[in-house]
Amino acid sequence: MSKNETESKRSDLEESALFYHRYPAPGKLEIQATKPLGNQRDLALAYSPGVAAPCIAIQDDPSTAAFYTARANLVGVISNGTAVLGLGNIGALASKPVMEGKAVLFKKFAGIDVFDIEINANEIDRMVDTVAALEPTFGGINLEDIKAPECFEIEEQLKERMSIPVFHDDQHGTAIIVAAAIINGLELAGKRIEDAKIVTSGAGAAALACLNLLVSLGARQDNIWVTDRYGVAYKGRVEEMDRWKDPYVKETNARDLADVIGGADVFVGLSAAGVLKPELLAEMAEKPLILALANPTPEIMPDVARAARPDAMICTGRSDFPNQVNNVLCFPYIFRGALDVGATAINEEMKVAAVRAIAALAREEPSDIAARANTDETPTFGPNFIIPSPFDPRLILRIAPAVAEAACKSGVATRPIDDMEAYVERLSRFVFRSGLIMKPIFSAAKKASANRVIYADGEDERVLRAAQVVLEEGIARPILIGRPHVIETRLQRYGLKIRPGADFQIVNPEDDPRYRDYVELLVRLCGRQGVTPEAARMMVRGSNTVIAALSMMRDEADAMICGLEGRYERHLRNVDQIIGRQAGVSDLSALSILISQRGATFFTDPYVSIDPSSEKIAEMTMLAAAEIRRFGLTPKAALLSHSNFGSRDSASARKMREAASILREQAPDLEADGEMHGDAALSATLRQRIYPYSTLTGEANLLVFPNLDAANITLTTIKTMTDALHVGPILLGASRPAHILTPSVTSRGVVNMTALAVAEAEANAKTDIAAATE
């Protein structure tokens, strides 16, 4: 890329960044209330006079602040702007965008709230006094972008004065990720940390924190050589020497990096671009680990390093190369664990626990979310993958519990966790927002014997990943429709360990001995629906959904999943023709779930029924209510309309009114009412104000729409506006469990629907057994 192209690209990025930070509202943060303030009583509880009660409780017992305030989940991200990113000493005010960015990372990755605080204080004492005075506000302090060596003194003094965690992420966050990379790199090289020669370029806050942590992990100080812009840290040197470098000072005649790089197993670069010359790599030990972490240009570019030493393992701080050392891998989850046990500090034991958890995660198989963040083939543990992806959702499930447990064992936890397994389960809400609502479904699926699930889109990456998950979790026995050689190739590409034959079955649509049987069965089932033998042959050859449905009818599978490719209505037609409907059900319908911060809301029917009659609306509502009960929830149905309890008399309003009347007659135990507006459905207070005699109590969790337009538009709009998780669509009314997903579904969505299909199949099997024994 030419100089002009580089400048143009940078200019475009800068313009985009300025626009991003300015619109639609300046900055990246806002404060939202977690309690309602909708009436006078709310105000009385939130402020005067009600607020006095928690104030007195905290005065009597300060530890109760964790229960009555946000303090236990609140971190202060604090900087004086003296060492910001690659920008240097730009001052406190100019550092605010960075601190806001840090805040949103805390919230995004670990659900931690943050106040960013920028302080005009270059003096150590003033900075320490200011931050220490803030202790009543926060559950923890994250120091950020403070220059060395002042940062060492500031952190040290604050740790002595404060009884909450104080963590300088530039030091310790970097150190934790670097240490995890070194543990894994040395393992791949067949070396021990106790024997490794480690050479650094750079002796600032991050570099020294890295070395201190490596020593805690077993590295020997006499094997560590420190260099910086003044050369080797040797005994007698006066330039930029301080007490923090003293443990690594050597009595030596070596004066620069070239003098000490020989035989090095690990190079840690936290200095400047181009410091590590290619010729120096030849002097390093076999299978060297190179951490070139200067940004934006590392100490040596990966391609240059690899050309000089093909056996080298290379890490950088950049996202466009493998093995990115990124602090976001750890700091949110370390604070999550520390806050959850009310830790008074983040000590060495907690940092070591984080290192080991991160290193171990890199050796696990990659998750589908981490894989989607990669544009190339999915990485697996090896020279090009020794650190987990920052987007791996399992980070919080590994690091936070490890840190919390270390805090408990080392005596710094004020609220120890008694049930670590339950704690991990609670943390899963940050990974899969579907975790809690889907728990009863997964529990039922794991106990099911009717668990053969056939996937029409067996070659799709999302299905392959889902197949591995459902096998690992004991949810289902997968049957994949697809070409064997394609499935084998993709399993290898995505780093998945499951294998056909041993772990799952394959149905080859191009060469299956049951082809004639499939055709014969299709004609027998659908011959009176216009399906001729020739049409049947074409349908079996041309549609994996048809094969899946026929497999179900031959009792070769207990449930089916399709729809990841192609039009929904085409899949629906095939399922309806071949599998058919439950006895007494007039038509199929669909149910979707949106899971947001307010919980789970069910929507019907956003995919099947274009303009259902009042009878059909009542039927789909009853089917949806039965499905909701599978989740361990009590259905509360609101029949929605532009009319609010008779305020309008249009045809669609009358239709919803009639459907509500049918429900009262046919399902008197179902809590349902209508017709009503959407806000009345979600607010009992508003509903009571409009119509005090409504039979619906509380907040509706099932929203029933008058037609497909209203349901689909509402579902997709709310999903996008709220970033809610979509589970479904769940097909209702089919004679056997068959679910048609949409092309936007994720791998986790496939897993969710697999569990639901298995739970449904098991329930049907038990019903059939009970009926047969009567």
Side-chain angles (χ1 to χ4, degrees), residues 3-21:
K3 182 178 179 181
N4 288 340
E5 288 175 329
T6 302
E7 290 178 352
S8 175
K9 184 176 181 180
R10 185 182 300 120
S11 176
D12 290 341
L13 178 64
E14 289 170 353
E15 286 298 320
S16 297
L18 291 173
F19 184 89
Y20 171 87
H21 281 79

Side-chain angles (χ1 to χ4, degrees), residues 41-272:
R41 179 166 176 78
D42 289 344
L43 187 60
L45 292 171
Y47 198 53
S48 180
V51 75
C55 289
I56 293 169
I58 294 168
Q59 182 184 32
D60 293 341
D61 181 0
S63 68
T64 60
F67 309 124
Y68 299 127
T69 74
R71 183 175 186 262
N73 194 52
L74 187 62
V75 166
V77 171
I78 300 178
S79 180
N80 60 6
T82 53
V84 178
L85 294 173
L87 303 175
N89 188 355
I90 61 174
L93 180 59
S95 75
K96 190 170 181 63
V98 179
M99 302 311 121
E100 285 188 356
K102 197 81 170 187
V104 298
L105 294 178
F106 268 107
K107 188 67 174 180
K108 168 69 176 177
F109 288 101
I112 294 172
D113 295 315
V114 166
F115 289 153
D116 65 290
I117 297 179
E118 296 75 32
I119 303 172
N120 280 322
N122 291 339
E123 306 84 2
I124 292 174
D125 290 345
R126 187 178 177 195
M127 188 73 175
V128 169
D129 288 342
T130 303
V131 176
L134 296 171
E135 182 169 348
T137 302
F138 298 108
I141 298 293
N142 184 88
L143 299 174
E144 193 75 19
D145 293 348
I146 303 170
K147 72 182 181 72
E150 288 89 338
C151 62
F152 300 119
E153 192 68 48
I154 289 169
E155 184 187 39
E156 190 174 273
Q157 290 189 33
L158 287 173
K159 283 182 174 180
E160 291 176 359
R161 291 177 58 173
M162 302 180 79
S163 58
I164 59 174
V166 177
F167 186 83
H168 186 204
D169 185 46
D170 299 330
Q171 292 183 58
H172 309 299
T174 302
I176 287 165
I177 307 303
V178 166
I182 290 175
I183 284 178
N184 281 344
L186 291 176
E187 178 179 311
L188 288 170
K191 302 174 182 179
R192 300 191 323 148
I193 193 170
E194 295 87 348
D195 304 324
K197 179 179 179 180
I198 301 168
V199 176
T200 75
S201 173
L208 292 174
C210 290
L211 298 180
N212 293 338
L213 187 53
L214 290 172
V215 170
S216 296
L217 288 162
R220 300 206 321 264
Q221 287 182 350
D222 56 356
N223 279 347
I224 296 173
W225 294 78
V226 173
T227 71
D228 58 17
R229 59 178 174 167
Y230 291 104
V232 174
Y234 63 90
K235 189 168 288 187
R237 199 184 97 176
V238 295
E239 297 90 353
E240 288 194 2
M241 296 300 293
D242 50 57
R243 64 186 176 95
W244 291 281
K245 292 190 183 79
D246 285 348
Y248 306 105
V249 169
K250 298 286 190 297
E251 190 163 344
T252 177
N253 293 323
R255 291 296 181 266
D256 57 33
L257 180 61
D259 295 333
V260 297
I261 196 70
D265 299 287
V266 179
F267 169 84
V268 180
L270 286 153
S271 54

Side-chain angles (χ1 to χ4, degrees), residues 405-650:
E405 190 169 10
C408 295
K409 289 180 178 179
S410 61
V412 297
T414 61
R415 298 190 304 275
I417 293 173
D418 296 325
D419 188 340
M420 193 58 67
E421 187 176 336
Y423 174 59
V424 173
E425 189 172 319
R426 289 200 305 274
L427 287 174
S428 67
R429 71 186 186 272
F430 297 116
V431 183
F432 307 122
R433 286 172 291 173
S434 58
L436 296 179
I437 186 69
M438 292 297 295
K439 182 178 178 180
I441 302 299
F442 275 79
S443 297
K446 289 179 180 180
K447 299 173 184 175
S449 55
N451 62 359
R452 299 168 300 166
V453 179
I454 188 164
Y455 300 86
D457 304 289
E459 297 176 2
D460 192 285
E461 177 185 356
R462 294 164 292 179
V463 168
L464 295 174
R465 294 190 179 282
Q468 176 146 312
V469 172
V470 300
L471 280 165
E472 289 175 347
E473 298 191 12
I475 295 169
R477 289 178 288 162
I479 304 167
L480 274 55
I481 302 177
R483 294 162 293 178
H485 69 281
V486 173
I487 291 174
E488 286 272 16
T489 300
R490 291 181 179 178
L491 287 172
Q492 186 173 1
R493 180 190 304 166
Y494 304 139
L496 302 175
K497 292 183 179 178
I498 56 172
R499 291 294 173 260
D503 300 311
F504 62 91
Q505 299 178 40
I506 291 182
V507 176
N508 184 355
E510 295 181 342
D511 183 20
D512 192 283
R514 295 165 291 188
Y515 169 71
R516 294 182 184 276
D517 297 331
Y518 287 148
V519 172
E520 182 182 337
L521 178 59
L522 182 56
V523 174
R524 189 163 66 247
L525 292 172
C526 304
R528 292 183 182 276
Q529 301 175 49
V531 177
T532 65
E534 179 60 30
R537 285 191 286 272
M538 293 178 63
M539 288 172 68
V540 173
R541 286 291 188 202
S543 173
N544 288 1
T545 297
V546 169
I547 295 173
L550 290 170
S551 296
M552 290 265 289
M553 301 306 291
R554 286 167 52 89
D555 291 323
E556 295 168 348
D558 301 305
M560 67 172 280
I561 303 289
C562 64
L564 277 75
E565 296 179 4
R567 293 179 178 273
Y568 188 95
E569 54 267 37
R570 178 169 59 86
H571 297 291
L572 180 67
R573 183 176 63 250
N574 289 330
V575 168
D576 196 13
Q577 272 191 318
I578 298 168
I579 293 178
R581 303 163 193 172
Q582 297 173 15
V585 173
S586 65
D587 202 357
L588 301 178
S589 58
L591 176 70
S592 280
I593 314 171
L594 285 187
I595 303 170
S596 63
Q597 291 182 347
R598 67 181 296 127
T601 305
F602 295 79
F603 294 72
T604 192
D605 168 11
Y607 285 98
V608 176
S609 308
I610 295 175
D611 188 13
S613 64
S614 57
E615 292 80 8
K616 175 65 190 302
I617 288 171
E619 178 183 86
M620 72 170 65
T621 303
M622 289 185 282
L623 288 170
E627 193 68 32
I628 291 171
R629 292 188 183 100
R630 291 185 192 276
F631 293 85
L633 301 174
T634 300
K636 295 174 178 286
L639 279 65
L640 303 184
S641 171
H642 68 285
S643 173
N644 216 11
F645 296 105
S647 64
R648 302 287 292 272
D649 196 36
S650 65

Side-chain angles (χ1 to χ4, degrees), residues 363-378:
R363 301 183 200 118
E364 295 184 30
E365 295 169 21
S367 74
D368 65 300
I369 296 177
R372 288 202 304 272
N374 291 280
T375 55
D376 300 321
E377 291 189 3
T378 306

